[in-house]
Amino acid sequence: MILGGTVTGEFKTPEEWEELLIRSGFKAITAPFCCEDDENLIRKYMDIIERNHVKISEIGVWRNILIGQDIDYAVNQLKLADKLGIECCVNIVGTVSSLSWDAADVSNFTDDNYVTIVKSIRQVIDEAAPTKAYYTIEPMPWMIPDGPDVYLKLIDDVDRERFAVHMDFVNMINSPRRFLCACDFVEDCFKKLSPFIKSTHIKDSRMDVTKYTTHIDECPPGEGNLDYPKILQILDKYLPKDGAILLEHMSTFEEYDKAFKYVKNAAEKAGVEV
């Protein structure tokens, strides 16, 4: 596996970004550009990435395509991924809720909404017509797909060759049972979905067991309760040698660096090469 994340820190130019990339030690990253950026800027980043032998594991959409207005952006992101050979273009399914684009809402689980989800994913793939890249959906705690079996059903129902899996097992640790039996749950996720996985997020999970009712938090690796050496052994069992595992949701270079070093150390203890 190859370990990385989002290159984070203060920079104004691609050259300054390159300095952060080198300092990070990342060998896999999220794309530092999007389809709305100037082509020359994208080319500068691509030259840096190729020069440093780094893999772009994913390019994100992160917009709500269920309400229609961001379908074109999703299509263009997938087209850009295909053009540049980025295998994974990732989004969440979105919501029809008026609260926010990623809201926890009862509408997320209705039958009618599921039909809309399937149609919207098909539309993005059909309009982009990728031949190298895949459109993927990141699991969410309160949104389809919220478990591996739900994801398998979604794959069957979308029925598109270029639809695949973005793995985020922490987002699916959304109940005490999954938290307390986390290694078994993670193994189940990868056993069922590994043939379709194009990129993987790695985080940690912690649950407050002193209060009612259940409260589960995401946190950086090493700051939660997951058995990370064992988790990494599971990932190593199912992912290919060039399978990317990406740190996320930290704000500073120092936070990413701390988590990166923790995972590297846990991998060494587990006898796993990253």
Side-chain angles (χ1 to χ4, degrees):
M1 297 180 295
I2 50 177
L3 173 62
T6 299
V7 177
T8 301
E10 293 187 11
F11 65 92
K12 294 181 180 179
T13 66
E15 291 74 22
E16 291 175 347
W17 180 86
E18 182 177 16
E19 292 177 8
L20 291 170
L21 171 66
I22 293 170
R23 283 180 57 202
S24 74
F26 293 170
K27 291 303 177 185
I29 60 169
T30 58
F33 49 73
C34 74
C35 60
E36 296 176 343
D37 287 327
D38 180 79
E39 288 187 12
N40 290 330
L41 179 65
I42 293 173
R43 187 66 258 168
K44 286 181 180 179
Y45 277 115
M46 288 300 297
D47 288 344
I48 290 169
I49 289 162
E50 291 165 6
R51 180 165 65 244
N52 287 280
H53 308 290
V54 174
K55 176 181 181 179
I56 301 179
S57 178
E58 61 190 57
I59 185 168
V61 177
W62 311 132
R63 296 194 185 183
N64 187 7
I65 67 170
L66 279 197
I67 58 175
Q69 64 188 34
D70 287 316
I71 284 281
D72 287 346
Y73 181 81
V75 169
N76 289 331
Q77 283 290 81
L78 183 52
K79 285 182 176 179
L80 180 62
D82 204 53
K83 177 182 177 181
L84 298 178
I86 302 170
E87 193 173 37
C88 179
C89 179
V90 57
N91 199 11
I92 61 173
V93 294
T95 177
V96 297
S97 170
S98 60
L99 298 175
S100 69
W101 79 289
D102 58 352
D105 191 270
V106 64
S107 64
N108 295 349
F109 296 103
T110 66
D111 291 341
D112 287 345
N113 194 63
Y114 185 80
V115 171
T116 304
I117 289 168
V118 170
K119 288 180 178 178
S120 68
I121 293 172
R122 287 177 175 174
Q123 182 178 352
V124 171
I125 295 171
D126 291 347
E127 290 188 17
T131 60
K132 304 181 189 70
Y134 292 83
Y135 189 66
T136 69
I137 294 297
E138 180 175 355
M140 291 285 282
W142 51 75
M143 195 176 289
I144 299 295
D146 57 345
D149 293 322
V150 178
Y151 214 138
L152 287 175
K153 174 174 170 50
L154 187 62
I155 291 169
D156 285 342
D157 291 340
V158 169
D159 192 26
R160 292 295 186 271
E161 181 184 356
R162 288 287 152 178
F163 182 54
V165 169
H166 182 285
M167 173 57 72
D168 192 319
F169 52 87
V170 166
N171 282 3
M172 294 186 284
I173 297 177
N174 57 3
S175 71
R177 186 187 295 264
R178 288 181 177 180
F179 175 84
L180 295 169
C181 307
C183 286
D184 289 340
F185 175 68
V186 173
E187 176 105 32
D188 188 50
C189 288
F190 279 87
K191 183 177 181 180
K192 291 174 177 175
L193 296 174
S194 60
F196 312 103
I197 293 173
K198 302 304 174 185
S199 188
T200 298
H201 285 169
I202 55 169
K203 299 176 289 193
D204 211 331
S205 185
R206 60 188 173 210
M207 183 173 74
D208 188 342
V209 297
T210 66
K211 299 177 182 177
Y212 294 104
T213 58
T214 304
H215 185 97
I216 300 174
D217 281 319
E218 168 197 314
C219 55
E223 297 183 17
N225 301 105
L226 295 185
D227 183 344
Y228 242 86
K230 189 169 182 179
I231 293 290
L232 289 168
Q233 287 175 337
I234 294 169
L235 272 59
D236 187 54
K237 177 180 176 182
Y238 290 100
L239 292 178
K241 292 296 182 184
D242 65 345
I245 54 175
L246 298 181
L247 301 158
E248 68 159 353
H249 289 171
M250 286 167 271
S251 302
T252 67
F253 181 93
E254 290 73 21
E255 289 171 333
Y256 271 102
D257 188 54
K258 180 181 177 181
F260 181 81
K261 289 173 179 175
Y262 171 81
V263 174
K264 291 280 283 188
N265 185 56
E268 185 176 344
K269 289 181 179 179
V272 172
E273 184 177 349
V274 296

